[in-house]
Amino acid sequence: MFDHALILAAGRGERMRPLTDHIPKPMAPYLNKTLLEYALVNLKKYTKNIYITVGYHGSILASHAISHGVDLILNTESRGNAWWIKNSILKHIDEPILVLTADNISRIDFSVYINEFISLPLSSCMLVPVDPIDGIDGDYLHLSKNKNNILELDRNKVSEIYASGIQILNPVTINNLTKDVPNTTHLSFTEIWKSLIEKNALFCSKQIPQQWFSVDTLSQLKYAEDNIRFHE
């Protein structure tokens, strides 16, 4: 078991309107739960502390998250998705944090990826890749010859794998390595990753999870409800 996991859940979920006009995307219904509840069922098997970022409909989502055992709420409304790394209480953590987006539907033994991260020559940031799925967008990953380092992420330049929305990172290490990145309100992972790539410090897991899906539209949510039944 590891100590820290963070769910990124502050987005507006524009592509899931009109549902998200009324509720935040992580509270979309899935298998008699919400997307957030489904994620928590798996996470609680592996981690001691679970945190979540909120923004759009933040008070609704915060109440829902607390009622299902989330330990810390970070309000990142109108801030970039990586803002918390340099500005929240989590910036002081000198250990691995599992980070995943709220639209992930998966059944993964996350401890396997934490152990792989710890074994890296530099425990900075490691992205978990997946095989591309038709209709689901992702940043394609282009790797070094030894397939450890990520050299480029590109949404249009196709490769055999793309980013799953799951990563493991160490905030203290990242902050030490990315002092060249301006700490703005809209700090994004794209900026963090670019800086790490320049330092050969952005890594790719060698293990591809099989039980993974991502929901970005209402049609994908319906498909998942009808077809995705990962074992509890």
Side-chain angles (χ1 to χ4, degrees), residues 38-97:
Y38 187 85
L40 292 173
V41 167
N42 195 41
L43 274 176
K44 288 177 180 178
K45 298 175 186 176
Y46 302 105
T47 187
K48 297 177 182 177
N49 304 294
I50 302 175
Y51 321 124
I52 187 171
T53 65
V54 302
Y56 179 65
H57 285 315
S59 60
I60 299 173
L61 182 55
S63 296
H64 180 66
I66 291 170
S67 70
H68 289 282
V70 170
D71 300 285
L72 176 68
I73 308 295
L74 298 175
N75 186 349
T76 60
E77 186 173 8
S78 301
R79 290 170 170 81
N81 57 9
W83 174 89
W84 61 272
I85 295 176
K86 292 181 179 286
N87 297 281
S88 76
I89 192 172
L90 302 187
K91 70 181 181 180
H92 301 294
I93 293 179
D94 192 11
E95 299 176 57
I97 299 181

